[in-house]
Amino acid sequence: MSANTRVTTSDGILDGKSVGDLLTWRGIPYAAPPVGPLRLRAPQPVQPWEGVRDATEWGNASVQHKRGTMLSIGKYQPSSEDCLTLNVLAPSRPSEGPRPVMVFIHGGAYTLGTSATPLYGGGSLVRRSLQDSDGIVYVSINYRLGALGYLDLTQFSTPARKFDSNLGLRDQVAALEWVQRNIGQFGGDPENVTIFGESAGGNAVTTLLATPAAAGLFRSAIAESSAPGLVATQERATGWAQEFVGFLGDGGNVAETLEQADVARLGRAGNKLAYTVLDRTPGLHPFGPVVDGEYVPKNPLDAYQDGTAHRVPLIIGTNSREGTLFPKVLDALPTNPERIDTLFALTDPPAKDVVTESYPGYPNESAAIDIGGDFTFWKPSIEVAESHSRRAPTYSYRFDFAPRVMKWLGLDATHGFELFAVFGISETAFGKIMTIPGGRRAFAEVTENVQSQWLHFARTGQPLPTWPRYDEKVRETMIFDSRTRVQRDPRRDRRLAWEGYRGYASQRTEASSI
């Protein structure tokens, strides 16, 4: 591929721009704007355009609270229902053949986030990929969030107005279909696509592996701090939708209200629903994929268990102390004794003493926070690793690294912090300021380790030889830290304490985490 910013896609011609030694195309539509009669409908094809479309600016973020769109102090990405766009970043230098493709799905509890967030830019990862290969092509996507993307309102369909389920998930599949059709024009290899994501984006990854419509759209996957249980039954989702409509105040014609209500009104009702659900059932969150029996035929945990999940190579892992971020930033987990008592009372009361005894110091704050983080992210990720490893290459990790300032803040290696290594933040001014108290060299080393493993996996379908496959007998896990190493069955006592506990998924059908 030559350093030409003009590219012809299946929908029309795009013109991007050069950014140093890279080429970028931003705000590329992969589906029609889901507005007007297309609100709450499955994504529809893009209307082809005439002439050359400018692709130098980020597309709109999905509708959400303003804090989720912050790009820098005082600067925010515009948000709109017209948000189904993606971005491509590629090396400007020619390659001998098509490059591996890495498609990133951002997190944010399915209610916040945008691909325009500077952390997700991808420049460091793409430049690192050029050190020992022809490089990669990096793709980041926007998808519908909150009630407009992750609340199942199908029960309110009428003959004149239909509503579809799993809209944000369908958006992600539509974006991956766009990649299959078009990424070759950007120098990418459609037969070598790796999807990766963190938090809700990690849940998107573990759910896509259990989504029939996603079959063949990617060759490998990386799930960072997934909450694999963030998939609700139809029954629970139906109840949430009814509560949402009650908060919305439908005025007697629900379908008309859902079609015409302004986004601020939808947002207020969504916030009330989220607070109500958390208060009633700690650890549950009403926005996420739904087992609708069609697009998502079964709970992904079931699909991994019975072998119907797509059998592609998978890296899956969590951070050492996932829960510490939430009481400070997004109070949405069972991270205090009162919520933990309620959680176990609603699910499996006898399990409470077994689990809490494996966290020394409980009910102190630190132990309670770790229980909430492990319940939500670590425990179900171990379940996925166990089941998937029986049928496909699976690699487990734990990210333990935290510079001194993170420890001072009481965060340690908290939720999302591995992204700083994946996207090379240690090289930036922010990363250098962050490590003034210490840890700069270690931060650079752990960044090198993570990026080299992620990139080798994207190229070959397996990490570097230093990282053994996960299996249920030995449970070898890569620990990313100041001294990166492989450890057998880390935190075995905690794992055994949680064994057999299914949380809200007592019948493998209910949602089990945020």
Side-chain angles (χ1 to χ4, degrees):
M1 175 181 136
S2 64
N4 187 356
T5 60
R6 188 160 293 189
V7 173
T8 300
T9 73
S10 57
D11 303 308
I13 301 172
L14 297 168
D15 197 15
K17 64 180 179 180
S18 297
V19 181
D21 54 347
L22 305 178
L23 304 175
T24 185
W25 297 264
R26 297 171 177 170
I28 305 169
Y30 63 81
V35 299
L38 296 185
R39 174 189 273 187
L40 298 172
R41 295 301 311 274
Q44 299 299 308
V46 173
Q47 181 69 37
W49 59 85
E50 299 291 335
V52 178
R53 183 186 180 106
D54 179 79
T56 60
E57 301 295 333
W58 303 106
N60 295 320
S62 176
V63 173
Q64 60 190 279
H65 192 284
K66 188 176 180 180
R67 70 175 180 272
T69 66
M70 189 171 75
L71 305 181
S72 60
I73 296 175
K75 183 179 179 181
Y76 298 86
Q77 184 68 12
S79 62
S80 168
E81 289 185 74
D82 180 4
C83 63
L84 300 186
T85 62
L86 54 77
N87 319 290
V88 179
L89 186 67
S92 60
R93 78 185 193 196
S95 62
E96 294 184 4
R99 294 178 162 113
V101 181
M102 297 187 73
V103 179
F104 180 69
I105 305 172
H106 72 75
Y110 287 130
T111 55
L112 300 170
T114 166
S115 62
T117 299
L119 175 62
Y120 309 145
S124 170
L125 193 62
V126 175
R127 290 187 175 98
R128 172 60 185 81
S129 73
L130 291 166
Q131 291 183 17
D132 41 30
S133 74
D134 267 346
I136 64 162
V137 174
Y138 171 75
V139 178
S140 57
I141 70 173
N142 286 338
Y143 55 96
R144 281 173 282 183
L145 302 171
L148 290 168
Y150 280 99
L151 194 62
D152 188 346
L153 296 160
T154 55
Q155 64 186 291
F156 302 113
S157 294
T158 68
R161 185 64 165 89
K162 183 182 177 183
F163 303 119
D164 294 311
S165 63
N166 286 301
L167 297 169
L169 183 64
R170 292 176 191 263
D171 293 344
Q172 292 157 8
V173 170
L176 292 170
E177 290 172 339
W178 183 96
V179 169
Q180 289 297 308
R181 292 193 302 271
N182 294 292
I183 206 64
Q185 301 302 312
F186 299 83
D189 184 355
E191 296 184 2
N192 188 8
V193 175
T194 298
I195 57 172
F196 71 123
E198 181 269 342
S199 193
N203 172 268
V205 169
T206 52
T207 305
L208 284 164
L209 264 71
T211 301
L217 297 180
F218 51 90
R219 193 184 78 165
S220 54
I222 303 172
E224 303 171 27
S225 300
S226 174
L230 180 69
V231 182
T233 62
Q234 185 71 70
E235 180 182 7
R236 192 181 288 278
T238 296
W240 287 338
Q242 291 168 356
E243 289 185 273
F244 173 80
V245 167
F247 290 131
L248 192 61
D250 61 86
N253 189 327
V254 180
E256 183 178 289
T257 299
L258 291 172
E259 180 175 355
Q260 297 181 4
D262 64 61
V263 294
R265 184 179 171 192
L266 295 172
R268 288 192 295 271
N271 289 338
K272 290 180 182 178
L273 177 65
Y275 294 136
T276 300
V277 170
L278 174 64
D279 185 61
R280 184 173 62 223
T281 47
L284 280 177
H285 185 62
F287 303 112
V290 176
V291 180
D292 59 8
E294 179 187 355
Y295 205 76
V296 180
K298 63 181 72 171
N299 189 301
L301 292 174
D302 284 335
Y304 289 102
Q305 182 72 28
D306 65 23
T308 55
H310 305 312
R311 300 184 180 187
V312 300
L314 172 67
I315 287 176
I316 185 166
T318 57
N319 295 352
S320 178
R321 301 198 65 206
E322 290 279 355
T324 57
L325 182 70
F326 289 87
K328 301 175 186 294
V329 177
L330 181 63
D331 187 20
L333 299 188
T335 52
N336 61 56
E338 182 182 1
R339 287 183 183 173
I340 289 169
D341 286 347
T342 303
L343 165 68
F344 283 104
L346 291 171
T347 55
D348 184 359
K352 178 194 166 189
D353 289 342
V354 177
V355 169
T356 56
E357 284 173 6
S358 68
Y359 291 80
Y362 185 81
N364 70 28
E365 182 182 39
S366 178
I369 284 171
D370 285 340
I371 288 174
D374 287 355
F375 162 78
T376 306
F377 302 104
W378 178 66
K379 189 262 182 186
S381 291
I382 291 293
E383 282 192 64
V384 170
E386 290 173 347
S387 299
H388 199 62
S389 68
R390 298 168 194 155
R391 301 172 181 89
T394 304
Y395 305 88
S396 176
Y397 77 87
R398 194 180 75 213
F399 189 86
D400 284 15
F401 176 75
R404 192 171 299 165
V405 69
M406 293 291 286
K407 296 176 181 178
W408 288 349
L409 292 170
L411 293 170
D412 299 303
T414 192
H415 185 68
F417 192 62
E418 90 292 345
L419 289 171
F420 284 42
V422 171
F423 289 113
I425 297 304
S426 67
E427 307 164 5
T428 66
F430 176 77
K432 291 174 181 176
I433 292 170
M434 192 175 189
T435 53
I436 287 174
R440 182 170 301 175
R441 178 178 295 180
F443 201 0
E445 289 176 357
V446 78
T447 296
E448 167 63 22
N449 285 330
V450 170
Q451 288 189 334
S452 62
Q453 294 285 8
W454 266 223
L455 292 166
H456 195 274
F457 183 76
R459 287 195 297 269
T460 67
Q462 58 188 21
L464 291 163
T466 52
W467 190 344
R469 285 175 61 164
Y470 187 86
D471 68 66
E472 293 174 273
K473 292 182 179 179
V474 183
R475 299 179 183 272
E476 289 182 299
T477 301
M478 182 66 75
I479 310 294
F480 290 105
D481 203 349
S482 300
R483 184 179 68 83
T484 293
R485 62 201 184 276
V486 173
Q487 186 174 335
R488 293 188 174 190
D489 201 2
R491 295 179 178 168
R492 179 176 183 272
D493 290 347
R494 286 192 193 179
R495 178 182 62 77
L496 292 174
W498 285 104
E499 201 165 71
Y501 174 76
R502 293 182 174 179
Y504 293 108
S506 58
Q507 303 300 319
R508 281 281 193 206
T509 55
E510 298 288 10
S512 64
S513 60
I514 91 148

